Amino acid sequence: MSLTETTTLANGVEMPRFGLGVWQAEDGEEVIHAVKWALEAGYRAIDTAAAYQNEEGVGEGIRQSGISREDLFITTKVANRDQGYDETIAAFDKSLERLGTDYVDLYLIHWPIASSFVDTWKALEKIYTDGRAKAIGVCNFHPHHLDTLLKSAEIVPMVNQIELHPLLSQKEVRDYCAKKNIAVEAYSPLGSGGLLQNKQLEAIGEKYGKSVAQVLLRWDWQLGIITIPKSVHQNRIKENADIFDFALAAEDMALINAMNKDERFGWNPNRFDDK
Ligand SMILES: NC(=O)c1ccc[n+]([C@@H]2O[C@H](COP(=O)([O-])OP(=O)(O)OC[C@H]3O[C@@H](n4cnc5c(N)ncnc54)[C@H](OP(=O)(O)O)[C@@H]3O)[C@@H](O)[C@H]2O)c1
């Protein structure tokens, strides 16, 4: 078990099961360092987005790391303001330019904007069939959004990236995605930091000599859910990846599984009805 272990997506692409998230990492030195530290620590996947306004720094961090492009898995996303067929194609070109690469490993629709996600998906299908994204997918799609998309889609999304942690275990979306062979990727796995003082998780961590962050990320790992914790601190980037020398016992997995309250730290996708 290690950071380079992958999940095989529906189209055969190997996607690392663990990566670095960079939402709220500032472009420039902050994100450059975070990316370099993560790659030094053995991470091979980086999750950014046009809306994070740090694609240039992500590209720079990758170049400075000296690691070959083909050994990395880069995800970016089309921003809400750029949804629509032509807009998305143009936005994708700009993301590639900022990242300094001629393809991404995964291109995602960031939010399900009701009036445009179907046309946006057509653009992602074009980008995929042109070979400029090795895989395509969505974020924040509930089953009803996926049902709508699948009515006209020629390609089933390979990934659905959703908020997922013990307080929001997303059973309905996970069951739906399992049936359709869509890989589930957990964002905000630490509750955007909001879960790190949780007493129940602290008690579990103490049993193993592990931090709450490590318990949360190990829980994702044991559930087979791709996870992308964010940090801009080198010690935390390393700590978050240090989850391969212990295993949560079945009773602790069950305790964590029972914490669900359908509680979000982020936005509810049903509010993204329009631009
Ligand atoms: N598709 C979407 O709509 C969407 C939405 C949200 C997030 N995402 C993706 O998912 C990634 C992760 O989600 P997230 O950024 O919301 O939150 P997260 O990974 O759940 O938590 C990050 C927060 O926890 C802190 N932290 C990280 N490791 C820590 C540790 N070991 N000890 C103490 N504090 C720690 C970080 O602070 P420092 O950085 O200061 O260390 C940051 O404040 C994002 O960066 C982004 O790539 C996607």
Side-chain angles (χ1 to χ4, degrees):
M1 280 187 298
S2 75
L3 286 179
T4 50
E5 204 169 294
T6 55
T7 290
T8 307
L9 301 180
N11 64 343
V13 163
E14 298 294 332
M15 175 168 182
R17 291 179 55 190
F18 195 102
L20 179 78
V22 297
W23 176 40
Q24 293 177 314
E26 239 181 75
D27 202 15
E29 287 309 302
E30 185 167 83
V31 80
I32 292 171
H33 282 296
V35 167
K36 283 200 317 190
W37 287 327
L39 298 180
E40 251 172 59
Y43 294 54
R44 288 295 173 268
I46 308 290
D47 181 86
T48 184
Y52 302 167
Q53 301 188 320
N54 58 17
E55 290 172 309
E56 278 183 31
V58 168
E60 183 57 28
I62 288 170
R63 278 186 295 284
Q64 289 187 18
S65 77
I67 295 175
S68 306
R69 173 69 186 89
E70 61 271 22
D71 293 331
L72 299 175
F73 192 101
I74 305 174
T75 300
T76 194
K77 315 180 189 95
V78 54
N80 297 347
R81 63 173 178 275
D82 293 326
Q83 287 203 29
Y85 187 89
D86 293 335
E87 294 89 336
T88 297
I89 302 280
F92 180 74
D93 288 338
K94 284 192 193 137
S95 281
L96 286 189
E97 206 174 295
R98 285 189 293 265
L99 286 162
T101 181
D102 54 7
Y103 71 96
V104 296
D105 297 278
L106 178 62
Y107 197 45
L108 300 172
I109 297 184
H110 208 146
W111 288 91
I113 306 294
S115 57
S116 48
F117 72 71
V118 167
D119 290 342
T120 303
W121 186 249
K122 291 282 160 222
L124 265 66
E125 290 180 331
K126 166 81 175 138
I127 288 164
Y128 175 70
T129 49
D130 287 349
R132 300 202 298 153
K134 303 283 181 206
I136 49 175
V138 296
C139 304
N140 298 299
F141 272 47
H142 286 312
H144 73 88
H145 297 119
L146 285 163
D147 282 339
T148 303
L149 190 73
L150 293 178
K151 275 185 203 145
S152 59
E154 284 171 32
I155 300 169
V156 177
M158 290 130 203
V159 173
N160 188 10
Q161 185 187 107
I162 51 174
E163 182 177 345
L164 196 162
H165 43 68
L167 297 189
L168 183 70
S169 60
Q170 297 269 28
K171 185 173 178 340
E172 196 201 345
V173 184
R174 277 160 58 197
D175 288 349
Y176 181 102
C177 288
K179 278 193 210 124
K180 304 275 185 201
N181 199 14
I182 300 171
V184 171
E185 180 174 25
Y187 79 64
S188 305
L190 314 177
S192 290
L195 278 170
L196 297 175
Q197 267 77 48
N198 182 286
K199 294 288 165 222
Q200 203 179 345
L201 294 169
E202 271 176 9
I204 293 172
E206 271 165 29
K207 280 175 58 178
Y208 299 92
K210 288 288 178 180
S211 66
V212 171
Q214 291 167 328
V215 168
L216 287 163
L217 298 167
R218 181 73 204 189
W219 178 74
D220 287 334
W221 188 268
Q222 288 181 216
L223 290 177
I225 292 168
I226 301 160
T227 193
I228 45 169
K230 175 261 179 183
S231 179
V232 294
H233 294 98
Q234 188 172 20
N235 59 331
R236 293 175 175 176
I237 288 170
K238 283 191 190 161
E239 174 191 323
N240 292 347
D242 182 16
I243 58 165
F244 302 106
D245 60 352
F246 80 116
L248 293 165
E251 71 255 27
D252 292 321
M253 287 297 288
L255 280 176
I256 303 172
N257 291 340
M259 287 173 67
N260 181 51
K261 291 186 185 163
D262 292 335
E263 195 175 303
R264 292 175 187 278
F265 290 91
W267 297 280
N268 187 325
N270 281 335
R271 297 233 199 98
F272 280 76
D273 282 342
D274 233 314
K275 278 197 197 192

